[in-house]
Amino acid sequence: MRILMVCLGNICRSPIAEGLMKDKILKNKLDWTVDSAGTESYHIGEAPHQFSQKICLSNNVDISMQRARKFVKEDLQRFDKIYAMAGDVYQEIKNITGKGADLSNVDYFLNELEGINQSVPDPWYGPEAGYKQVYDLIDRACDAIIKKYK
Ligand code: 4NP
């Protein structure tokens, strides 16, 4: 299974999701691949946010080598599962892929965990504590994905 995690900047939420999922794939000996991308261009080429790196590293997951890239419409064919971290991200995926695109492999990330079409809060504008909350939520959703599809 090829999974793509998508948020806005590809520096806060989706790098955590990529890093955690890769770690769990390794631990579960699964033949899956994971990548991440952002729907916006602001941070292309940048490493993950320092607080995203810090919370991952404190859980023994090193995401420092990741670099932000933009989501492109060709990603629709390249991945089996594309997870939007939030409603605005889902909307932007729709805009980028254009009218008539088959979005059957695109879903809200948290639909694997709880509720319907819930968003992972964007920690970008808030304090460091927000990154811990987001990390815990992403961790639980990644566990749910592993459990469901392995
Ligand atoms: P992310 O967070 O989508 O989780 O990477 C954001 C990062 C940067 C911005 C917005 C959200 N920004 O506006 O620059």
Side-chain angles (χ1 to χ4, degrees), residues 1-5 33-37 69 71-72 74-83 105-106:
M1 184 153 83
R2 296 161 301 173
I3 299 173
L4 183 67
M5 307 292 192
T33 60
V34 190
D35 191 13
S36 65
R69 75 161 176 98
F71 176 86
V72 290
E74 291 77 17
D75 284 323
L76 261 192
Q77 278 78 48
R78 291 188 194 133
F79 294 91
D80 302 307
K81 288 266 173 201
I82 296 175
Y83 288 118
N105 57 342
V106 184

Side-chain angles (χ1 to χ4, degrees), residues 52-124:
S52 289
Q53 291 196 42
K54 193 173 161 188
I55 187 68
C56 284
L57 203 55
S58 69
N59 289 279
N60 295 314
V61 176
D62 183 358
I63 62 169
S64 63
M65 295 305 287
Q66 291 185 31
R67 293 296 176 265
R69 75 161 176 98
K70 194 167 189 288
F71 176 86
V72 290
K73 63 172 182 285
E74 291 77 17
D75 284 323
L76 261 192
Q77 278 78 48
R78 291 188 194 133
F79 294 91
D80 302 307
K81 288 266 173 201
I82 296 175
Y83 288 118
M85 291 289 136
D88 49 0
V89 177
Y90 189 90
Q91 197 52 50
E92 269 309 305
I93 288 174
K94 271 173 97 170
N95 292 341
I96 292 168
T97 51
K99 216 174 160 194
D102 176 9
L103 299 181
S104 53
N105 57 342
V106 184
D107 197 5
Y108 283 62
F109 179 64
L110 289 187
N111 282 354
E112 298 287 13
L113 186 62
E114 58 199 10
I116 298 166
N117 297 356
Q118 307 266 19
S119 295
V120 178
D122 188 350
W124 172 252

Side-chain angles (χ1 to χ4, degrees), residues 7-13 42-43 122 124-125:
C7 63
L8 291 176
N10 194 207
I11 57 162
C12 298
R13 292 165 291 179
Y42 325 123
H43 300 283
D122 188 350
W124 172 252
Y125 298 101

